[in-house]
Amino acid sequence: MKKGKFIPLIILLVISILGAFVPNVPTQIVTEGVNSGDTAWLLVSSALVLLMTPGLAYFYGGMVNNKNVISTMLQSFIAMGVISVLWVVVGFSIAFGEDIGGFIGNPMTHFMFKGVLDGPVWGTIPFALFAMFQMKFAVITPALVTGSMAERVNFRSYVLFIILFCIFIYAPLAHMTWHADGILFKMGVLDFAGGTVVHMSAGWAALAGALYLKRRKSLMEDHVLPPANIPFVLLGTGLLWFGWFGFNAGSALTAGPLAVSAFATTNTAAGAAGLAWVLFDSAKGKKVSALGFCIGAVVGLVAITPAAGFVTVPAALFIGSVAAIISNYVAHLRTRSTLDDTLDVFPCHGVGGMVGMLMTGIFATSGVNSLVVDQGLAFGETTLFINHVIALVGVSVFAFAGSFLLLKVTDLILPLRVSESDEAAGLDISQHDEFLVEA
């Protein structure tokens, strides 16, 4: 074993030993105020959100070429392990710990899940369940970024990057947006299930990654291979769509009318967006494609995420359709540029998240959710929309600049890009000594 490759194992062992000596045994489990129905729904929702990450693996894995399928899928699965451990150690505390200046939580508040199992009831569910539900969001966010760097990123460097991304980008954004003392929360910014925290942060990080890693060798030589497996993409889309009900409807944190409303808007936006994408393609003279419908549906799910529990079902039709057409156009512009965002993460998640955030500022209404203090622009008020525009600019700058800096730091520690020979051989064999057996 080469010198230096022991370090990750040593770090994990130190964390594991720390867990043995600092078990943080709860003094008492709080049960008063816990609603069994809400708890059951959030347990199911947490499982649904986790299912989205394997869904993403199939979604991305089907779109790359045969020699990079395993590596691309593993980048999603490894996030389930890495972020799960990091969240328990310090991630949850940074996101939801005691406020520091409105930007970040105190890393020591819930260090090693201190005070989580015996924490106060979060609404009507156990505090630990809220922590685990939020962990699933933290898992999928860095996994989303992988699509922009697919087919050329060093696996070990990728793992280091997602650790840094979770600590310095994702968790602070979660704190700013969802913690009661967060700066965006205090501004009145509405993000029901993560359009800002998840999709905008991942989209801007993806753009930074594509710019930093530059173009694939195969793209420069015009040797890009077709997608490996379109049925994988269809399967991944189905898993994502299914899991997204936990993502959005679960974010109501209760098994009640608000969850039902978010469930309905989620499905409606996805359906409208999938249709809008392929019909927009058809209007341009292209054939209706499975890949197009799948991408469009995911864009609709992205766009409705911040708005799901704040807008009406008819508004979701508009949000899904408009987001799909805008993302489709941006993806088309991307193909005509020199930017190599392999799987169009920025046009789909970044742009889709931004469209959703603006749409929330337009269509949010207290008629759906009493937490809406300022009505959306469509109802004659401007405060919410203006705050969303300000937040959009601030989050974009923070996520892009911060991610670019983290990529630079990662590259200084472990080279981010694989060698030309490894890229040519494919990441499956060069990074993992595994490969697909062709029939």
Side-chain angles (χ1 to χ4, degrees), residues 171-439:
L173 274 177
H175 184 86
M176 287 185 252
T177 306
W178 289 329
H179 192 283
D181 293 319
I183 185 171
L184 296 180
F185 187 92
K186 285 187 170 181
M187 279 178 59
V189 172
L190 301 176
D191 185 356
F192 192 74
T196 305
V197 180
V198 176
H199 298 292
M200 278 183 60
S201 69
W204 283 108
L207 180 61
L211 289 169
Y212 192 88
L213 286 179
K214 300 182 173 58
R215 292 161 68 84
R216 285 164 287 169
K217 183 75 172 174
S218 58
L219 193 65
M220 292 186 285
E221 296 176 349
D222 199 25
H223 291 156
V224 176
L225 299 174
N229 196 319
I230 299 298
F232 269 21
V233 181
L234 288 162
L235 174 61
T237 303
L239 291 171
L240 284 168
W241 196 326
F242 180 65
W244 226 291
F245 293 125
F247 202 78
N248 286 358
S251 292
L253 300 181
T254 60
L258 184 58
V260 175
S261 179
F263 191 105
T265 55
T266 298
N267 193 75
T268 302
L275 293 174
W277 189 286
V278 295
L279 293 176
F280 188 59
D281 278 349
S282 180
K284 294 187 293 182
K286 296 181 179 180
K287 293 181 180 179
V288 173
S289 69
L291 196 62
F293 182 82
C294 288
I295 294 172
V298 170
V299 169
L301 291 165
V302 168
I304 197 62
T305 292
F310 300 122
V311 303
T312 63
V313 176
L317 283 169
F318 182 81
I319 292 170
S321 297
V322 170
I325 291 171
I326 292 174
S327 290
N328 185 308
Y329 181 69
V330 175
H332 174 69
L333 291 179
R334 200 279 307 164
T335 61
R336 299 174 62 182
S337 72
T338 58
L339 178 68
D340 186 13
D341 181 345
T342 313
L343 304 181
D344 281 326
V345 180
F346 179 72
C348 294
H349 291 275
V351 173
M354 286 187 283
V355 170
M357 189 178 185
L358 293 177
M359 291 293 180
T360 305
I362 294 173
F363 292 108
T365 171
S366 58
V368 172
N369 192 327
S370 60
L371 293 178
V372 178
V373 177
D374 299 304
Q375 303 287 316
L377 195 62
F379 301 94
E381 297 184 21
T382 60
T383 301
L384 180 63
F385 183 76
I386 292 171
N387 285 339
H388 274 222
V389 171
I390 294 170
L392 185 149
V393 174
V395 170
S396 298
V397 172
F398 172 74
F400 177 76
S403 297
F404 200 90
L405 177 61
L406 293 179
L407 287 163
K408 181 65 177 176
V409 171
T410 302
D411 199 24
L412 290 172
I413 299 170
L414 291 170
L416 263 170
R417 184 154 182 166
V418 298
S419 66
E420 288 189 11
S421 60
D422 283 352
E423 184 180 343
L427 302 192
D428 290 357
I429 192 70
S430 66
Q431 298 288 295
H432 310 293
D433 276 337
E434 296 174 315
F435 55 91
L436 294 178
V437 178
E438 295 186 14

Side-chain angles (χ1 to χ4, degrees), residues 42-81:
L42 262 294
L43 284 167
V44 172
S45 294
S46 299
L48 287 172
V49 179
L50 186 65
L51 183 65
M52 292 172 66
T53 301
L56 181 70
Y58 276 98
F59 185 73
Y60 280 175
M63 287 195 279
V64 296
N65 64 62
N66 276 324
K67 60 186 180 180
N68 294 306
V69 172
I70 296 170
S71 175
T72 300
M73 295 183 74
L74 180 58
Q75 287 166 9
S76 290
F77 275 90
I78 201 71
M80 295 168 70

